[in-house]
């Protein structure tokens, strides 16, 4: 008999039996509500061991589904890799020595084994090389390139007013103007780097840069002879006897990338106020001479040698 009927005043005899019969029928017809599932067994005993994550989750509720766990893990991994959180992407890309990162050019944005990659241009004038990841791009060159692009669209240069402060393209020279000697032809152009990188907060003596300049039609490196012959001719023009400069050649080597020929020279140049160590790479294509140069003060050569030699070895046309 239902406990809700027993004890109610006025329910005796037949009325009490009728109340019990009605309550039994109402329980039999009562639907089960989907919003209130049957409760499972309650955890019993003391709380979980917080040092055991799985046990803690199992004690507090059911484990997440496999699909949700996998998707959550992949999402977290994607965020970590894309943002190089904690350097994990750099670590993973460096496991094979950075070879995969180099092929994918992932090291353009993410440092790999302490280096990044510069990729510049395309369509016959492109090149790439690596440089120390802590070095920064020369913003002056980027600003000047933007102003040149503006001038090419019809906008005038907006620099100083003295004509002597401008180079032949209408833009101010990077260094103070020098009056040419009487025997020198006026109007000779000095090519500027298209890209340059160096340590932040330094004077610019320590850097890597690339110059792309036009050259006579049909020129090739081997027309200068072998690497050493070409190096001696280059240093003779860099430090002629009357210049007060002293150039010393340490090595001259050639390498090829497919059909592309490169000459790599290591040398020092000493003047009254400077003493620099250089590693230069020369190559020519489609009437253009590409010159990669890595330099530092001679006093820093021992610290910078590995990085500068690696940067020179990585230089190639694309």
């Amino acid at each position: 008999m239902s406990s809700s009927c027993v004890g109610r005043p006025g329910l005796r005899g037949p009325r009490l039996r009728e109340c019990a019969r009605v309550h039994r029928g109402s329980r039999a017809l009562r639907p089960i509500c989907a919003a209130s599932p049957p409760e499972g067994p309650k955890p019993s005993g003391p709380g979980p061991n917080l040092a055991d994550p799985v046990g803690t989750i199992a004690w507090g509720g059911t484990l997440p589904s496999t699909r949700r766990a996998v998707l959550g893990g992949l999402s977290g991994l994607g965020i970590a890799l894309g943002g190089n959180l904690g350097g994990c992407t750099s670590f993973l890309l460096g496991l094979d020595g950075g070879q995969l990162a180099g092929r994918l050019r992932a090291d353009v944005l993410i440092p790999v084994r302490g280096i990044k990659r510069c990729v510049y241009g395309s369509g016959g004038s492109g090149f790439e090389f690596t440089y120390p990841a802590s070095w920064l791009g020369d913003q002056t060159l980027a600003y000047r390139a933007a102003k040149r692009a503006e001038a090419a669209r019809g906008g005038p240069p907006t620099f100083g007013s003295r004509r002597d402060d401008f180079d032949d393209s209408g833009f101010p020279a990077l260094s103070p103007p020098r009056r040419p000697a009487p025997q020198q032809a006026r109007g000779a152009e000095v090519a500027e780097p298209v890209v340059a990188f160096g340590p932040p907060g330094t004077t610019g003596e320590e850097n890597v840069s690339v110059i792309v300049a036009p050259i006579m039609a049909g020129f090739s490196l081997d027309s200068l002879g072998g690497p050493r012959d070409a190096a001696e001719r280059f240093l003779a023009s860099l430090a002629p006897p009357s210049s007060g400069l002293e150039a010393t050649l340490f090595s001259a080597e050639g390498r090829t990338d497919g059909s592309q020929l490169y000459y790599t020279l290591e040398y020092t140049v000493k003047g009254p106020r400077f003493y620099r160590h250089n590693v230069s790479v020369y190559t020519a294509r489609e009437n253009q001479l590409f010159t990669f140069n890595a330099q530092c003060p001679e006093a820093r050569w021992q610290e910078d040698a590995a990085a500068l030699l690696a940067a020179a070895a990585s230089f190639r046309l694309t």
Side-chain angles (χ1 to χ4, degrees):
M1 183 174 294
S2 172
S3 60
S4 61
C5 297
V6 177
R8 292 178 59 180
L11 291 181
R12 293 185 180 84
R15 289 188 177 184
L16 181 61
R17 289 193 295 273
E18 180 63 21
C19 177
R21 185 183 65 80
V22 171
H23 277 275
R24 282 197 301 270
S26 64
R27 285 199 301 269
L29 298 176
R30 186 180 300 161
I32 297 177
C33 178
S36 303
E39 296 183 356
K42 298 286 187 181
S44 59
N49 180 7
L50 296 181
D52 180 10
V54 175
T56 302
I57 295 174
W59 185 89
T62 58
L63 287 169
S65 67
T66 302
R67 177 176 178 274
R68 183 176 299 177
V70 171
L71 290 179
L74 290 177
S75 299
L77 179 61
I79 294 172
L81 293 178
N84 195 27
L85 298 181
C88 63
T89 310
S90 295
F91 172 75
L92 293 175
L93 291 176
L95 291 177
D96 65 345
Q99 297 181 13
L100 178 61
R103 290 195 298 270
L104 300 178
R105 293 180 174 176
D107 48 1
V108 171
L109 299 175
I110 299 174
V112 178
R113 300 176 70 89
I115 64 172
K116 293 183 74 174
R117 184 177 304 272
C118 170
V119 177
Y120 181 92
S122 60
S125 61
F127 57 83
E128 67 177 51
F129 62 90
T130 61
Y131 62 94
S134 60
W135 288 16
L136 303 178
D138 190 328
Q139 296 304 308
T140 301
L141 294 177
Y143 176 71
R144 291 167 63 81
K147 298 304 292 183
R148 280 194 173 88
E150 179 183 347
R153 293 191 296 267
T158 57
F159 298 105
S161 57
R162 295 197 329 158
R163 181 66 186 89
D164 290 342
D165 291 339
F166 291 83
D167 60 19
D168 293 335
S169 62
F171 290 87
L174 288 178
S175 56
R178 293 180 299 175
R179 303 299 179 187
Q183 68 272 18
Q184 291 179 319
R186 301 185 65 88
E189 295 185 10
V190 177
E192 297 178 0
V194 293
V195 293
F197 297 88
T202 58
T203 61
E205 246 190 323
E206 186 178 3
N207 63 69
V208 294
S209 63
V210 177
I211 293 175
V212 183
I215 201 167
M216 61 183 180
F219 172 81
S220 62
L221 284 184
D222 51 13
S223 66
L224 301 176
R228 184 161 289 275
D229 293 334
E232 290 174 354
R233 294 178 62 176
F234 167 71
L235 293 185
S237 64
L238 181 65
S242 60
S243 65
L245 303 178
E246 178 184 347
T248 303
L249 179 65
F250 290 97
S251 65
E253 300 176 350
R255 61 178 169 92
T256 57
D257 180 11
S259 60
Q260 191 68 40
L261 177 63
Y262 302 82
Y263 284 172
T264 302
L265 321 179
E266 182 186 344
Y267 58 94
T268 57
V269 180
K270 187 175 183 180
R273 294 186 176 182
F274 68 91
Y275 188 12
R276 298 193 188 106
H277 207 118
N278 296 260
V279 183
S280 298
V281 183
Y282 299 89
T283 191
R285 182 174 67 184
E286 297 182 359
N287 303 329
Q288 288 184 313
L289 179 66
F290 296 77
T291 303
F292 170 90
N293 186 63
Q295 69 175 29
C296 69
E298 176 63 21
R300 286 198 52 83
W301 175 248
Q302 294 301 321
E303 291 81 3
D304 290 349
L308 299 187
L309 290 171
S314 71
F315 177 73
R316 71 179 189 91
L317 303 189
T318 58

